[in-house]
Amino acid sequence: MDLLQRRLARFAAARGWEPYHTPKNLAVALSVEAAELVEIFQWLTPEQSARVMEEPESAHRVADEVADVLAYLLQFCEVLGVDVLDALAAKIERNELRFPVKEDPTSDRHSSE
């Protein structure tokens, strides 16, 4: 991830884009790219959406939008000093505590038989 973030930073610096890469602008750009990903699936049935990667044209569009979302997210994290992998790990840990796995109520009946 660090290598990709540095590559994105060099790409932006070479084009003089750093002044535009503020947290607000990057958050907005991230939202726009996520919306473009959603747009691909907007009117598809669940079955069609599950097969979207089977067609080369739609697969290419999905991959491009995923790349755009990730690029803006990494740039956003770089600007704000967020370690994206640490943030994700911490969020998963909080979610594991917040949403514990519930035991199957039928398993208690079977274990006492």
Side-chain angles (χ1 to χ4, degrees):
M1 286 291 187
D2 290 338
L3 179 63
L4 290 173
Q5 282 180 303
R6 287 193 302 273
R7 188 172 175 190
L8 287 165
R10 284 192 309 269
F11 181 88
R15 289 152 180 83
W17 292 350
E18 300 108 318
Y20 307 104
H21 285 191
T22 64
K24 179 200 83 70
N25 287 350
L26 291 169
V28 169
L30 175 59
S31 176
V32 169
E33 294 303 335
E36 289 179 5
L37 179 60
V38 170
E39 182 182 28
I40 296 168
F41 296 89
Q42 184 173 9
W43 302 113
L44 300 181
T45 66
E47 296 78 21
Q48 290 169 323
S49 71
R51 295 189 310 270
V52 74
M53 299 305 284
E54 294 173 6
E55 296 179 28
E57 183 179 331
S58 60
H60 179 68
R61 287 182 61 211
V62 168
D64 275 356
E65 296 308 333
V66 165
D68 288 342
V69 168
L70 182 57
Y72 279 118
L73 179 61
L74 290 176
Q75 290 174 62
F76 179 82
C77 289
E78 177 73 19
V79 166
L80 290 180
V82 174
D83 182 308
V84 68
L85 295 179
D86 286 347
L88 177 58
K91 181 65 175 185
I92 291 169
E93 288 174 19
R94 285 192 307 275
N95 281 343
E96 287 171 339
L97 294 172
R98 188 172 168 203
F99 304 105
V101 176
K102 295 181 181 169
E103 288 188 35
D104 182 1
T106 61
S107 65
D108 290 333
R109 287 187 304 186
H110 295 293
S111 62
S112 63
E113 291 178 354

